[in-house]
Each structure stands twice: as C-alpha cells, then as structure tokens.
Amino acid sequence: TGTPGSYVWVNGCLVRAMTANNGEGQPLLVEEFTRMPTRAQNMFISALSDGYVVLNEKPDANGEGEIVRAGKNFVLLADMNVD
C-alpha cells in the first residue's frame, strides 16, 4: 500500500523473468507479440539485443532510469499470427 495520490512500482513480466531465480533469469513466453504497442515491443527487443532494459519510469537515487540486466537463463519466446 502506498500514500494516497502516489503510486507503488510493481515489476512486470519482463523484469520478473529477467531477474528471476536470484538474478539468473527464466524463460518468458509472449503471445501475440505483433499485437502489442510498439513501445512495449521495443522493451522486449532491447532486453534481447542489449541484455538490459532502462526503466525511465522508475528513477534511481540520481534521477536516472533504473537499469535491469537479464540473467544468463533469460530467454524470450514470442509468437504471432501472420496474415
């Protein structure tokens, strides 16, 4: 619970999968990948290509976005329907 009028950060499925098992990571299945908004797709692509994501919505003590690194066992499996 937080203070009324404020928010509490809750890690989503990407961050949880990247950091699961004491930072080792775990597989994540994403269905209908091409149906999600482009901004969301870019977070997944960044995690795969760079090995980390920057959470600009969750600043650290210096006001910079928190960096979350993918554990060695993080794998992204994505499916999509092709028309």
Side-chain angles (χ1 to χ4, degrees):
T1 63
T3 306
S6 67
Y7 70 92
V8 176
W9 180 268
V10 176
N11 287 334
C13 62
L14 177 60
V15 171
R16 289 193 313 264
M18 291 172 66
T19 60
N21 300 318
N22 296 318
E24 296 294 313
Q26 70 180 27
L28 173 64
L29 171 62
V30 178
E31 296 182 350
E32 300 290 347
F33 185 79
T34 55
R35 293 188 181 265
M36 72 175 63
T38 302
R39 183 168 184 243
Q41 289 179 10
N42 289 338
M43 291 295 287
F44 287 95
I45 292 167
S46 175
L48 288 174
S49 63
D50 300 331
Y52 67 91
V53 293
V54 179
L55 305 176
N56 291 317
E57 294 84 1
K58 185 181 180 191
D60 62 16
N62 297 322
E64 301 292 326
E66 180 181 330
I67 297 173
V68 177
R69 299 194 185 286
K72 66 179 182 178
N73 295 328
F74 171 70
V75 176
L76 177 65
L77 306 165
D79 74 4
M80 63 182 132
N81 290 321
V82 179
D83 294 330

